[in-house]
Amino acid sequence: MDSSVGPVDEGTMVIDCDRCEVRGDACADCVVSVLLGAPPEIEWDSSERLAVDALAEAGMVPRLRLVPAEPERRLRAG
């Protein structure tokens, strides 16, 4: 995650579309694209996540289709 975004508490979900494993294939059917277009990264706190879940349960928006890519593993020298 880019440190310029600032601190993220444990209740915040960071959605980085650039790191989504199904980007492209699933974008059209993802709540992020429906609500905002496909941004490079957004953050939802727990209340926003609950609101989006409620909209999806009511059939008003599609569910979040984010499949996060595994972070790159760093090799240790030595």
Side-chain angles (χ1 to χ4, degrees):
M1 185 174 85
D2 183 354
S3 62
S4 66
V5 174
V8 177
D9 67 39
E10 290 183 25
T12 300
M13 171 189 277
V14 176
I15 300 169
D16 183 350
C17 295
D18 286 335
R19 296 182 47 81
C20 181
E21 288 287 327
V22 295
R23 182 165 187 170
D25 295 334
C27 287
D29 193 32
C30 179
V31 67
V32 172
S33 295
V34 170
L35 294 177
L36 305 170
E41 182 177 315
I42 61 170
E43 293 180 21
W44 285 342
D45 64 24
S46 57
S47 63
E48 291 167 321
R49 288 170 57 189
L50 288 172
V52 170
D53 287 343
L55 291 171
E57 277 294 317
M60 298 174 73
V61 297
R63 296 204 173 276
L64 178 65
R65 303 261 324 252
L66 176 70
V67 178
E70 290 193 34
E72 295 178 22
R73 296 182 184 184
R74 296 181 185 200
L75 299 176
R76 293 171 57 183

